[in-house]
Amino acid sequence: MFTAVIWGVAGMGLVLSWTKNREKTRKALQFFQRAFLSLAPSIVAIIWTIGFILTFLPSEFVLGTIGRNAGIMGVVIAAVFGSIVLIPAFIAFPLAASFLRQGADVRGIAAFVTTLVMVGVLTAPLEVKFFGRRFTLLRNSFSFVLALAIAFVMGEVLR
Amino acid sequence: MKIKVVPAILAALAAATVITWASRPDKALAVVSVSKDYLFEMLSILPPVLILCGLFDAWVSKRTVERLMGEASGIKGTCIAFVLGTVAMGPLYAAFPIGKSLLDKGASLYNVAVFLCVWAAIKIPMVLFEIKFLGTEFALLRLVLTVPAILIIAALLNTVRLNTSRIQ
């Protein structure tokens, strides 16, 4: 859905731009070519790594480490796990819901969901390409710490 | 240096895949098929995003972005960054080139950081999805806590950047 919309918008934009000003459109396409070619190898490397992680990390292991008895360490591990994996929200939310039903700590689930969306270890190489090492490191670290804070507050409120 | 790191990682991944194939062909197949799915997903999203960034780069003037989202844009600029982030639907890596374009065109670092974090954490369809699966209480509480967290992160990033520029 998102994909179809964005291709449509990009396509229409290109056509519109081409009819108005060919020189600017050519510049836009050169920008695209340069950016795409410089990103492609990193993207393949990131995705290949995800393939390994998702294949070799069983969900029973995850549940064991973020269960209700795991304590604060469990919450931290859940946050680390959320930072590393890269799964779309429409898979992550049902997964998190099933973990909750099976007895996972609500703090762990909150930490997992929050770092999942806000911290990206695997996409960090891409982020570095655009914003530099310093920005990437700081944005992800701050997000990680605040995700833990959010998780502990939620644990208190939803207890 | 970056040019050499990526091929090295790719070579290591290829070697790991071959080794896995030798001992557990089923696992190697799983790795390849999962990777293939994600690769198609990324390749279906990134080209149009980059085309739009190219068009943005060619057509939108630096002055306009500076006026709307620059250092002097105040709360209005932050609100624009916030709305831009929520109405988006793609994954975070699609936001990187857009945020970079905004930054290059004169948007403030604070506003770009808000845009990136909001895009990551508070997309409207995603919030609805979270309500459906994890419950209204869980989802809305997380949302209410995430908004100030994002503003804090953006402010911290902004302060750190200011400090370094002063030191140098």
Side-chain angles (χ1 to χ4, degrees):
Chain A
M1 180 59 198
F2 167 74
T3 313
V5 170
I6 196 151
W7 274 100
V9 173
M12 276 190 305
L14 269 184
V15 171
L16 199 71
S17 173
W18 183 255
T19 55
K20 294 233 174 197
N21 186 329
R22 305 219 161 164
E23 195 39 51
K24 281 191 176 176
T25 312
R26 225 168 264 130
K27 257 180 68 189
L29 286 173
Q30 277 164 5
F31 178 99
F32 160 74
Q33 192 193 4
R34 232 180 316 122
F36 188 78
L37 290 180
S38 84
L39 292 178
S42 313
I43 288 176
V44 172
I46 290 167
I47 288 172
W48 212 337
T49 311
I50 295 171
F52 270 98
I53 292 176
L54 289 184
T55 304
F56 287 100
L57 199 84
S59 64
E60 306 85 66
F61 166 77
V62 177
L63 199 58
T65 42
I66 62 171
R68 218 159 262 162
N69 303 323
I72 289 176
M73 239 2 251
V75 180
V76 174
I77 291 171
V80 170
F81 185 63
S83 308
I84 294 171
V85 295
L86 193 73
I87 34 183
F90 63 88
I91 296 173
F93 287 139
L95 190 72
S98 83
F99 283 163
L100 261 186
R101 272 197 306 275
Q102 290 172 61
D105 188 336
V106 72
R107 294 175 302 180
I109 295 299
F112 169 73
V113 172
T114 309
T115 54
L116 180 71
V117 293
M118 290 188 65
V119 184
V121 170
L122 288 172
T123 53
L126 272 186
E127 194 172 348
V128 168
K129 277 192 176 248
F130 286 105
F131 297 103
R133 261 173 222 200
R134 191 183 172 80
F135 179 92
T136 305
L137 183 71
L138 290 173
R139 193 194 67 79
N140 284 287
S141 323
F142 292 152
S143 299
F144 185 86
V145 172
L146 279 156
L148 284 179
I150 289 173
F152 286 116
V153 173
M154 286 186 69
E156 288 304 313
V157 177
L158 296 179
R159 191 169 299 260
Chain B
M1 192 191 101
K2 236 173 261 162
I3 304 159
K4 283 175 190 162
V5 170
V6 175
I9 293 172
L10 283 174
L13 285 166
T17 309
V18 170
I19 291 168
T20 310
W21 174 260
S23 55
R24 292 283 306 272
D26 56 321
K27 290 277 181 192
L29 263 183
V31 168
V32 171
S33 96
V34 170
S35 306
K36 195 192 69 203
D37 291 349
Y38 275 91
L39 188 65
F40 279 127
E41 195 198 299
M42 265 199 181
L43 287 185
S44 67
I45 288 170
L46 217 53
V49 168
L50 291 175
I51 287 173
L52 286 172
C53 285
L55 289 172
F56 176 82
D57 189 57
W59 283 97
V60 181
S61 82
K62 201 169 165 159
R63 232 177 16 178
T64 313
V65 179
E66 237 168 43
R67 186 168 50 82
L68 290 175
M69 295 175 73
E71 298 292 347
S73 63
I75 286 189
K76 199 187 69 188
T78 306
C79 289
I80 293 174
F82 204 97
V83 172
L84 278 182
T86 49
V87 296
M89 272 172 66
L92 183 58
Y93 56 77
F96 294 151
I98 301 173
K100 175 67 172 161
S101 299
L102 287 171
L103 200 60
D104 288 345
K105 289 276 180 183
S108 72
L109 183 75
Y110 179 81
N111 286 340
V112 171
V114 168
F115 165 75
L116 280 180
C117 292
V118 169
W119 178 305
I122 319 182
K123 277 167 295 191
I124 292 162
M126 208 169 80
V127 174
L128 296 177
F129 219 70
E130 185 173 350
I131 290 175
K132 181 165 171 258
F133 280 102
L134 295 170
T136 313
E137 208 184 14
F138 184 97
L140 292 187
L141 180 60
R142 214 175 64 79
L143 180 67
V144 166
L145 292 170
T146 301
V147 174
I150 286 173
L151 297 180
I152 292 170
I153 292 166
L156 284 173
L157 283 169
N158 201 23
T159 320
V160 171
R161 171 71 73 92
L162 284 178
N163 283 344
T164 49
S165 64
R166 227 174 279 146
I167 290 164
Q168 280 162 354

